[in-house]
Amino acid sequence: MQRTFAATLSALRKGRHLSQRQAAAELGISQALLSHYETGAREPGLEFVRRACDYYDVTADYLLCRSEHPGDVSLKASR
């Protein structure tokens, strides 16, 4: 099964043992909006994607399911 943005975002949060409320507060959005992103009911804008990448320390390619490498520093540094 192919990974999705929603599933990846949810897995990153759960992998760090964070509640939706906690992650949402630190990302500067409501818990309800984060829930919508994690279920795929809504798609985020570019600014949220950037913040989420910084927060979870992953590349945008990983978060957007274009790469299987979540934190390849050499890739992040060259962009």
Side-chain angles (χ1 to χ4, degrees):
M1 185 161 103
Q2 190 168 346
R3 216 167 27 96
T4 65
F5 170 83
T8 302
L9 186 63
S10 180
L12 286 168
R13 177 183 58 78
K14 291 174 182 176
R16 286 162 177 73
H17 307 288
L18 298 168
S19 68
Q20 277 188 341
R21 185 178 307 275
Q22 187 178 14
E26 293 179 16
L27 287 164
I29 61 172
S30 70
Q31 182 271 326
L33 184 55
L34 181 57
S35 176
H36 287 280
Y37 291 161
E38 288 187 1
T39 61
R42 292 193 56 189
E43 292 184 2
L46 185 57
E47 177 58 27
F48 175 80
V49 171
R50 186 194 60 76
R51 278 190 314 227
C53 288
D54 289 346
Y55 181 70
Y56 290 116
D57 195 28
V58 297
T59 64
D61 279 348
Y62 179 79
L63 189 58
L64 298 172
C65 307
R66 295 173 45 93
S67 170
E68 293 299 316
H69 307 286
D72 190 336
V73 176
S74 63
L75 288 176
K76 286 172 33 175
S78 67
R79 293 184 182 170

